[in-house]
């Protein structure tokens, strides 16, 4: 059986970050285009995307552009023009949500069904494949058993999140931001309502939890479970983070690439990496050294796995960092002694929780022995636990590192009539040969090592010398002649790689495929334009409600709105699952109330049969 390619898919907020990701080992990168990406703050001009494509394709790395927002009626022509430009720039696929793109007159670019498509069931995934999607992005909530069911249902690659921030809601089915300020997540404008502090009010009106980030989940980290995911059917491992820094991307990509290499090495030939080249990051990638809210594998092991974890980062949505010690004595507001468990140095960023449970951060201005000096007043007391979320020593290593990615090239040098020939062959399947006309005269001293040194000098190219087969024998070749021959061969190899690169093409739409669920589509199906309406009608839908973003009736947005469904259950998180005796101790209905009233009250509903939580925004007062 042919090995299945495994792809590490990295985020990039801009071209520079994309190139860092490629150099650190990504098999594909995804980035925003000029518009219609689900992170409005991560847009990129087409010229920058073309630069990334030109660089990536040399390593057989693919470039995907997010076009995964709803498209309004008056934007359809603009979308067609934009996609034409992206296709001309060399983009390999679009990550999309709006079904109108299956019907618009766009180039034959591959389309990937984003997590916003909400492929919540294998039947939905099969439908998306049948209508032309070349890859299905699975919900973050999918367990290994559910991933296996998806793999049985489809033949196109499955993509799953492996690291980064978690949405508390099923993606694409969240309207919390929309009904609280008009910023739609499905239009790339999520206001991150889930990262705000709330009080929890019980059925008697009592506040049972105060000022906690009750919907803010920890970050995903499945780096040690990639083998399990691959064996279940995942082919593309996605890192979340299109607004993250280049340092964050470098560390996460290098760390996960290393883990994916182990999966491939231990697979007995079942898997291969999807791109070419070997990366040398130049630093030790440590995931705890970059932004995180604590880690969880979420629902990978099903409900039992969820119950075994604390999912929320309820004290703060910020990065608190690693424990580094405890305050032992306060000398002044800007000086205190610490008992450090890890080495500290000038410039480190530390933090602590104060008596009100609020996280405060500060920088070490100077450290003398065990005494920390700060540039501003710090309100700590003996016994305060300190955490570090900026490690100056580690950051210095990152800034000095120069990640490199190289493709090994086998070289063969031999004599031909009238001169010599150099053949280059690489793992991309490219093979070239060039000839130099020259006189080969007997040498007075051994020449093999000297010629090898010339051939190995590949400098700033993307190549590294692999096996060298030199059958010229003991003849003299001027170094300048051999150098020119090597340079011509490398140029020819570049041209061969560019000429043989093939982009995937869009799959055809099966017009007979039927929408697998109720023919009545609600606002939760996110239908925002007439082309999408006709698409669903052609596939069996008979009654189609508009998306909440395009619904002309303001009462639908201002009244009671089901804003999200989550596999995260606040009752379970607090130890009051309704299936346990502790459930009776917390009287419902439960309400989330924002601490300063800027967000509408939200009622929590619990579907114990499916182990789901629904969040309902209450009417405006």
């Amino acid at each position: 059986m042919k090995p299945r390619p495994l792809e590490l898919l990295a985020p990039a907020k801009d071209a520079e970050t994309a190139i860092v990701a490629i150099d650190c080992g990504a098999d594909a990168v995804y980035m925003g285009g000029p518009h219609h990406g689900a992170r409005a703050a991560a847009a990129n001009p087409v010229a920058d995307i073309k630069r990334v494509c030109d660089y990536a394709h040399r390593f057989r790395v693919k470039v995907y552009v997010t076009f995964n927002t709803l498209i309004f009626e008056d934007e359809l022509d603009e979308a067609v023009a934009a996609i034409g430009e992206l296709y001309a720039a060399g983009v390999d696929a679009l990550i999309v949500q709006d079904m109108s793109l299956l019907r618009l007159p766009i180039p034959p670019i591959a389309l990937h069904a984003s997590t916003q498509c909400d492929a919540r069931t294998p039947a939905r995934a099969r439908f998306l494949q049948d209508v032309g999607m070349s890859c299905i992005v699975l919900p973050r909530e999918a367990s290994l058993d559910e991933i296996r069911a998806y793999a049985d249902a489809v033949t196109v690659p499955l993509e799953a999140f492996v690291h980064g921030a978690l949405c508390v809601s099923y993606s694409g089915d969240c309207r919390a931001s929309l009904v609280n300020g008009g910023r739609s997540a499905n239009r790339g404008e999520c206001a991150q309502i889930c990262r705000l502090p709330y009080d929890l009010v019980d059925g008697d009106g009592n506040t049972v939890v105060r000022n906690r980030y009750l919907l803010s989940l920890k970050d995903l980290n499945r780096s040690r479970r990639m083998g399990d995911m691959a064996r279940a059917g995942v082919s593309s491992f996605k890192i979340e983070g299109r607004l993250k820094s280049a340092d964050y991307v470098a560390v996460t990509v290098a760390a996960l690439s290393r883990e994916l290499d182990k999966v491939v090495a231990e697979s007995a030939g079942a898997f291969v990496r999807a791109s070419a080249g070997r990366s040398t990051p130049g630093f030790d990638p440590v995931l705890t050294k970059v932004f995180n809210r604590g880690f969880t594998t979420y629902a990978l092991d099903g409900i039992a796995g969820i119950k075994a974890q604390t999912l929320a980062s309820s004290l703060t949505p910020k990065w608190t960092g690693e424990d580094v010690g405890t305050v032992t004595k306060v000398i002044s507001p800007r000086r205190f002694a610490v008992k450090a468990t890890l080495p500290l140095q000038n410039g480190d960023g530390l933090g602590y929780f104060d008596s009100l449970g609020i996280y405060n951060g500060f920088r070490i201005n100077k450290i003398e022995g065990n005494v920390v000096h700060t540039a501003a007043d710090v309100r700590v007391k003996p016994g305060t636990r300190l955490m570090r979320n900026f490690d100056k020593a580690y950051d210095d290593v990152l800034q000095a590192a120069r990640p490199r990615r190289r493709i090994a090239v086998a070289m063969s040098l031999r004599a031909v009539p009238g001169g010599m020939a150099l053949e280059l062959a690489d793992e991309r399947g490219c093979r070239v040969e060039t000839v130099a006309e020259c006189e080969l005269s007997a040498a007075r001293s051994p020449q093999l090592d000297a010629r090898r040194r010339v051939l190995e000098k590949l400098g700033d190219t993307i190549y590294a010398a692999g096996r060298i087969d030199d059958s010229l024998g003991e003849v003299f070749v001027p170094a300048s002649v051999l150098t020119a021959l090597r340079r011509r061969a490398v140029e020819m190899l570049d041209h061969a790689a560019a000429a043989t690169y093939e982009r995937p093409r869009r799959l055809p739409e099966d017009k007979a495929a039927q929408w697998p669920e109720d023919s009545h589509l609600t606002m939760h199906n996110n239908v925002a334009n007439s082309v999408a309406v006709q698409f669903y009608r052609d596939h069996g839908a008979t009654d189609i409600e508009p998306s909440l973003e395009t619904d002309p009736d303001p009462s639908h947005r201002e009244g009671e709105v089901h804003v999200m469904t989550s596999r995260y259950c606040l009752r379970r998180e607090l130890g009051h699952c309704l299936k346990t005796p502790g459930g009776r101790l917390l009287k419902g209905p439960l309400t989330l109330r924002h601490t300063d009233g800027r967000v509408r009250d939200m009622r929590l509903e619990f579907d114990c049969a499916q182990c789901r939580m629904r969040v309902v925004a209450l009417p405006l007062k």
Side-chain angles (χ1 to χ4, degrees), residues 38 67-70 94-102 111-121 124-125 127-129 131 133 135-140 150 161 170-173 186 515 517 524-526 535-536:
F67 215 87
N68 53 342
T69 64
L70 297 180
L94 301 178
I95 302 172
V96 304
Q97 172 184 193
D98 200 302
M99 294 297 110
S100 67
L101 295 175
L102 291 160
L111 301 179
H112 293 185
S114 77
T115 186
Q116 279 78 20
C117 285
D118 193 12
R120 203 175 302 190
T121 66
R124 283 195 186 187
F127 173 76
L128 290 168
Q129 170 190 278
V131 297
M133 296 294 178
C135 176
I136 310 298
V137 185
L138 298 179
R140 294 170 174 87
Y150 281 103
F161 286 89
Y170 276 88
S171 301
D173 197 17
N186 284 318
W515 173 247
E517 297 175 5
H524 295 277
N525 296 103
N526 292 330
F535 167 86
Y536 279 112

Side-chain angles (χ1 to χ4, degrees), residues 174-221:
C174 181
R175 290 153 193 85
S177 181
L178 178 62
V179 302
N180 287 288
R183 292 172 56 180
S184 169
N186 284 318
R187 291 282 291 173
E189 299 170 339
C190 179
Q192 295 195 314
I193 301 300
C194 56
R195 303 297 183 188
L196 298 178
Y198 296 93
D199 296 336
L200 181 65
V201 181
D202 70 10
D204 290 328
N206 301 310
T207 300
V208 293
V209 178
R210 291 186 184 276
N211 195 34
R212 287 290 179 262
Y213 299 86
L214 297 173
L215 294 177
S216 181
L217 298 190
K218 295 178 179 178
D219 285 1
L220 194 65
N221 182 359

